[in-house]
Amino acid sequence: MNKLKILNDPIYGFITIPNSLVFDLIQHKYFQRLRRITQMGMSYLVYPGAHHTRFHHAIGCVHLMQQAVNVLRFKGVTISEEEEDALYIAILLHDIGHGPFSHAMEHSIVNNVSHEQISLLFMEQLNEEFNGSLTLAIQIFKREYHRKFMCELISGQLDMDRADYLKRDSFYTGVAEGNINSERLITMLNVVNDELVVEEKGIYSVEKFIIARRLMYWQVYLHKTGLVAEQLLIRVLKRAKELHGQGCKLQGSGALQYFLENEISIHNFTNATLDVFSSLDDYDIISAMKEWQYNDDFVLSNLSKMIVNRNLLKIKMKNKKIKTKRLEKHVEAIREAHGISNEEASYFVFTGSIFNQAYHEKHQNINILHKSGKIEDIVKASDQLNLKALSKPVTKYYICYPKGEL
């Protein structure tokens, strides 16, 4: 069987699968599940085109990693065949642990188990199935490999993950501000003292990358409508779990029932749990909400209707913390209108905060390699005055409440 297939991608054109091991991993049911996980959660309620999946993204990352390996080898960086394969595997599987709608699961029906932890569990399971051929990829993924630049290509300020998702999400949302030139950025990469650097000529591409990241966060990832939709989804799942705990049997797939019935944390995330998780995706949640909108429970039914019919809560963003009085006023209004408890009202009236920092200066900085050999952080090397400001965290606060009658 010919395993060196070519895929057609709307962003990069033709993508070649580099070897038979990567092909076999793509064919595996664990990876195929990513076709049923949207890359951008509930963002399609804001940007109708944002229906692309984690599957698209992971394949795109492998393509960019192939480019990075070729560029670095051309510049004299030694990368063995074993290391090359490990880089492809680590970037292919970096997001395999995402649950339905990408992030909502982490905050609702499992107890603080991150998608990175689940990705690692999947990789370890696959490593057993593939006779240890993922061992080096796992080392790189866990940042335990001695060649630091390889770990930075998987997870860093200028990793292949970001290089793909900014360009891809910009394309599918139609938000042109995020359209970075990932190919040029990769062409400008080099390695000095085992760390990734960007050659001086690439400085403007890096500036564009950081600014694009900031704009994509405010305009897309932290868009207030997408934010309120994700918060509603988290609350739907929390309410479903709460009702299950009270003995109320809800309709849902076997995989969803499992996570509603059991308290799952990283300590009891067994191989059996992983197998159930591998059959849980966006479709389970959507079909459950379509049923739950007719449930007798006021909270579950109204939250489900809001998402299914895109009739969301009102959200107001502020630069200062929301005053308690304002919150209480909205809680009181919904309590009186529907005769529900404070706890039930808190599902419809709540506050929170969002945080945006386009560049973490103290955390894996982006270093510029000058022609003289001097290495300097992008903030110091750039004449773009904004970059200093972009490395400062910005926090905004929000309050959500019903628009009128539920």
Side-chain angles (χ1 to χ4, degrees), residues 307-348:
I307 297 175
V308 171
N309 303 320
R310 200 197 177 278
N311 183 19
L312 309 171
L313 296 172
K314 194 168 185 63
I315 179 168
K316 287 276 177 74
M317 303 286 259
K318 300 281 175 192
N319 291 324
K320 291 181 181 171
K321 285 188 178 175
I322 309 294
K323 289 180 179 156
T324 314
K325 269 188 185 173
R326 190 171 177 196
L327 182 71
E328 287 168 352
K329 184 186 91 175
H330 288 296
V331 168
E332 193 55 38
I334 189 174
R335 269 187 54 213
E336 283 184 10
H338 298 284
I340 57 175
S341 68
N342 260 352
E343 191 212 347
E344 289 171 321
S346 70
Y347 278 95
F348 302 97

Side-chain angles (χ1 to χ4, degrees), residues 11 20 31 76 94 96-97 99 114 120 131 160 172 174 214 257 264 294 299 338 365:
I11 314 291
S20 59
F31 189 81
H94 78 283
I96 199 170
S114 71
L120 187 56
N131 304 318
M160 298 305 104
Y172 280 99
R214 177 181 183 272
Q257 294 282 358
I264 301 296
Y294 305 113
V299 175
H338 298 284
N365 30 355

Side-chain angles (χ1 to χ4, degrees), residues 23 45 109 161 172 196 232 268 274 288-289 295 344 382 406:
F23 177 87
L45 292 177
I109 52 178
D161 176 31
Y172 280 99
L196 273 187
L232 285 171
N268 63 351
L274 191 68
M289 286 191 297
N295 194 274
E344 289 171 321
S382 169
L406 288 173

